[in-house]
């Protein structure tokens, strides 16, 4: 168990230009003064600085706008806490010289963590949370205005939670300590997450069903890959046919060139054959047996041999002509064949082009993209569905495990609770007797339940409440798993106690202070005191202003506040 110890409090009012600085004894500090000197305001400022606002604050004190700087010690670590107003806090950690500014909620989390306060209460929205630090300090502060009339009533805004008293009493008494509430907090969080995840999967299933119903109405049975693959095959075939067409065109070009060449050669041969035929007839029928050359006058014989030579050349030309005409026919046949092939390939090419055009008209690119999008949507939702079901399974297993752990803690805590309640009843009976309360007429319900109200009347009520408070403090000091904080008692002389009962009250407080605790008491009349507050109607003093200002102003002017306050 950690222990919080108060070391020093400084209070500064810029409005009144007054201040106060006091140091606390680590064991017992008596604050004595007559009425109206500000004892209660000083005492209220202690827990106010730590974020727990007392149920009643004097309007003049609020009007003074006090700035409070409290030095505390938590298990040997020193901290300075400055509260500037209702919402702003500064914490200086002496061991690291770190300075941090917090709003109320942040500071509450800081203090609760620092002091191991792990009580979990459901807020009015049903959400489990650790309550603010007023619920941590509540058992330690006996307020002058409210605590002597009703137990568990020292701080303001306690009604922000419903049915908070029993879990608070169970926690502080140690009946259900940090382990229980840590486990319960984790279990509550797991249950809440499980409920949210279950709602999430229900909503997702509804969405997925609607999507399936709507998409299945006009779903295309192809994917982008299927469509692209089919188009690709057609394009490959089309390209092949186009290549064949180009080759056939080239063959036809070559064949036509050859045909033209042969045709020209045939013409030459036919012409040559006509000329030779004329020469032969002329030599046979017109020329004499001897022929004179008109140029040189030489004589040549027009004999059979010469005429036969001419005839032989003509025969060869005829053979050549036949051969050429044969080649011509062959080339013509090839041209016709290739023409047929070209027509076939062109027909196939046109057919494929028509198929491609038809596919593009029947299935537009946007159709394919839309279909692919629908498929992807289904895949995404199904993947999300699988992940959520996995989360639900994990949460279900964790919930079962935590429920089992909580049952074990409760089972083990049964004996602990019996022991604590037995000690509580015995101690309460003893303390009531020490404060002159007749236990035979005292409410039996208070002995059975630690969260029961104290219903005594008259001057017996404050003494019964004091016996109850100290009984509970004794139980806390022995069994609580949270931190033990300073006990602050403001004006124990209530309801005009007679001399005997007042002596019993003072003696009781002095002799029954819990072991290793720090006690701060505000008294109107007592011989022992640490501070004598005797300046009428004023706790803060002008003489203390400069000294306190010198210590507080550097913090305010350090820029730690967002508005950069500088005085």
């Amino acid at each position: 168990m950690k222990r919080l110890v108060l070391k020093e409090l400084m209070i500064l009012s810029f409005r009144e230009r007054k201040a106060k600085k006091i140091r606390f004894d680590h064991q017992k500090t008596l604050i004595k003064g007559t009425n109206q000197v500000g004892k209660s305001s000083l005492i209220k400022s202690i827990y106010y600085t730590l974020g727990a606002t007392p149920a009643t604050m004097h309007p003049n004190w609020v009007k003074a706008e006090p700035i409070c700087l409290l030095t505390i010690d938590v298990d040997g670590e020193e901290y300075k806490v400055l509260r500037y107003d209702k919402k702003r806090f500064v914490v200086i950690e002496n061991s690291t010289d770190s300075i941090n500014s917090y709003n109320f909620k942040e500071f509450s989390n800081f203090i609760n963590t620092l002091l191991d306060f792990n009580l979990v209460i459901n807020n009015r929205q049903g959400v489990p949370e650790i309550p603010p630090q007023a619920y941590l300090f509540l058992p330690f502060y006996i307020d002058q205005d409210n605590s002597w009339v009703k137990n568990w009533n020292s701080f303001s805004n306690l009604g922000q939670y419903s049915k908070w008293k029993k879990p608070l009493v169970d926690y502080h008494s140690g009946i259900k300590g940090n382990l229980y509430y840590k486990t319960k907090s984790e279990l509550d969080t797991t249950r809440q997450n499980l409920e949210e995840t279950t709602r999430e999967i229900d909503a997702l299933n509804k969405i997925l069903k609607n999507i399936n119903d709507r998409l299945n109405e006009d779903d295309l049975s192809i994917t982008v890959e299927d469509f692209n693959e089919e188009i690709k095959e057609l394009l490959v075939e089309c390209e092949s046919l186009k290549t064949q067409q180009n080759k056939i065109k080239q063959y036809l070009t070559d064949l036509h060139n050859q045909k033209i060449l042969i045709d020209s050669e045939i013409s030459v041969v036919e012409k040559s054959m006509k000329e030779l035929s004329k020469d032969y007839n002329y030599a046979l029928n017109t020329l004499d047996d001897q022929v004179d050359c008109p140029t040189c006058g030489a004589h040549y014989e027009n004999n059979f041999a010469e005429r036969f030579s001419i005839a032989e050349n003509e025969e060869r030309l005829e053979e050549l002509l036949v051969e050429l005409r044969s080649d011509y026919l062959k080339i013509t046949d090839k041209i016709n064949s290739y023409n047929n092939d070209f027509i076939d390939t062109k027909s196939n090419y046109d057919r494929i082009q028509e198929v491609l055009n038809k596919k593009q008209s029947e299935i537009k690119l946007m159709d394919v993209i839309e279909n692919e999008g629908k498929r992807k949507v289904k895949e995404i939702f199904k993947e999300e569905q699988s992940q959520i079901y996995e989360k639900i399974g994990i949460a279900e297993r964790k919930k079962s495990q935590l429920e089992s752990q909580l049952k074990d803690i409760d089972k083990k805590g049964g004996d602990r609770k019996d022991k604590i309640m037995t000690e509580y009843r015995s101690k309460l009976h003893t303390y009531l007797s020490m404060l002159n309360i007749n236990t035979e007429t005292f409410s039996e319900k208070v002995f059975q339940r630690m969260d029961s109200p104290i219903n005594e009347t008259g001057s017996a009520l404050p003494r019964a409440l004091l016996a109850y408070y100290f009984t509970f403090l004794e139980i806390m000091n022995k069994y609580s798993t949270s931190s033990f904080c300073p006990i602050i008692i403001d004006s124990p002389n209530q309801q005009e106690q007679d001399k005997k009962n007042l002596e019993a009250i003072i003696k009781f407080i002095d002799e029954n202070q819990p072991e290793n605790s720090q006690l701060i008491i505000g008294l109107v009349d007592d011989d022992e005191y640490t501070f004598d507050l005797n300046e009428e109607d004023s706790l803060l003093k002008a003489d203390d202003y400069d000294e306190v200002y010198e210590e507080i102003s550097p913090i305010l002017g350090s820029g730690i506040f967002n508005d950069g306050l500088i005085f």
Side-chain angles (χ1 to χ4, degrees), residues 13-162:
S13 172
F14 288 114
R15 179 180 292 274
E16 296 184 357
R17 295 193 65 80
K18 293 181 179 181
K20 188 68 182 179
K21 177 180 179 179
I22 57 176
R23 292 192 63 83
F24 300 103
D25 183 77
H26 71 281
Q27 185 175 11
K28 183 184 295 183
T29 301
L30 303 180
I31 301 175
K32 179 184 174 184
T34 58
N35 290 327
Q36 304 301 319
V37 300
K39 294 188 310 300
S40 293
S41 294
L42 169 65
I43 291 172
K44 291 175 188 292
S45 297
I46 296 172
Y47 278 130
Y48 167 83
T49 308
L50 293 173
T53 302
T56 305
M57 297 284 287
H58 198 285
N60 290 339
W61 183 254
V62 176
K63 186 178 179 180
E65 298 178 356
I67 300 171
C68 302
L69 180 64
L70 180 66
T71 303
I72 63 174
D73 181 285
V74 180
D75 283 2
E77 294 291 331
E78 189 173 281
Y79 301 85
K80 292 183 183 296
V81 179
L82 182 141
R83 183 169 187 177
Y84 176 71
D85 56 21
K86 292 181 179 180
K87 299 179 180 179
R88 292 185 286 184
F89 299 82
V90 173
V91 176
I92 304 171
E93 188 174 350
N94 286 3
S95 62
T96 60
D97 293 327
S98 63
I99 303 178
N100 294 292
S101 176
Y102 301 101
N103 60 32
F104 184 86
K105 186 173 182 179
E106 293 168 343
F107 180 71
S108 179
N109 292 335
F110 169 80
I111 285 293
N112 287 342
T113 301
L114 178 66
L115 298 178
D116 290 339
F117 184 58
N118 294 300
L119 171 66
V120 177
I121 303 177
N122 289 341
N123 60 27
R124 292 190 177 272
Q125 289 72 45
V127 179
E129 63 184 22
I130 298 177
Q133 57 271 41
Y135 295 85
L136 164 62
F137 300 133
L138 192 55
F140 302 98
Y141 179 39
I142 304 175
D143 175 41
Q144 176 187 17
D145 300 301
N146 297 278
S147 300
W148 297 112
V149 178
K150 183 180 180 181
N151 51 331
W152 304 100
N153 197 35
S154 304
F155 296 113
S156 64
N157 299 322
L158 295 175
Q160 62 183 294
Y161 299 95
S162 61

Side-chain angles (χ1 to χ4, degrees), residues 254-399:
D254 293 341
L255 289 172
H256 277 290
N257 289 336
Q258 292 178 35
K259 182 180 178 182
I260 292 171
L261 178 60
I262 293 173
D263 191 50
S264 64
E265 288 176 347
I266 289 173
S267 296
V268 171
V269 170
E270 287 178 340
K271 185 176 181 182
S272 298
M273 287 179 66
K274 288 180 181 180
E275 292 296 326
L276 284 175
S277 178
K278 288 180 180 180
D279 289 343
Y280 180 77
N281 289 329
Y282 180 77
L284 179 64
N285 300 316
T286 305
L287 292 178
D288 296 331
D289 292 338
Q290 184 173 323
V291 181
D292 295 328
C293 177
T295 302
C296 63
H299 301 286
Y300 294 94
E301 293 291 331
N302 180 17
N303 54 23
F304 175 78
E306 292 297 329
R307 291 194 296 271
F308 183 81
S309 174
I310 293 172
E312 186 180 17
N313 287 336
E314 185 179 4
E315 183 179 353
R316 287 179 180 175
L317 286 174
E318 287 180 353
E319 291 176 356
L320 178 60
L321 181 61
V322 170
E323 183 180 345
L324 288 174
R325 284 175 176 170
S326 175
D327 290 342
Y328 184 85
L329 291 174
K330 290 179 181 179
I331 289 175
T332 300
D333 289 340
K334 285 185 177 181
I335 288 173
N336 290 335
S337 176
Y338 277 114
N339 275 332
N340 291 332
D341 290 343
F342 182 81
I343 291 171
D344 290 340
T345 55
K346 187 176 185 304
S347 176
N348 289 332
Y349 181 82
D350 291 341
R351 177 182 56 79
I352 292 174
Q353 283 290 343
E354 185 179 355
V355 172
L356 285 172
N357 292 334
K358 184 178 181 182
K359 281 188 173 292
Q360 291 175 352
S361 64
E362 289 178 351
I363 305 175
K364 298 293 189 292
L365 178 60
M366 287 305 297
D367 295 329
V368 178
I369 292 175
E370 182 180 354
N371 183 72
E372 181 67 9
K374 292 174 181 178
R375 189 171 65 85
K376 287 292 185 184
V377 166
K378 288 183 180 181
E379 289 181 358
I380 290 171
F381 272 92
K382 286 181 179 179
E383 183 179 354
E384 182 72 14
Q385 186 185 45
S386 176
Q387 291 176 355
I388 294 176
Y389 275 124
E390 184 178 356
K391 285 170 60 177
I392 289 175
I394 294 172
E396 287 282 6
R397 291 191 294 272
K398 186 175 182 181
K399 181 173 79 76

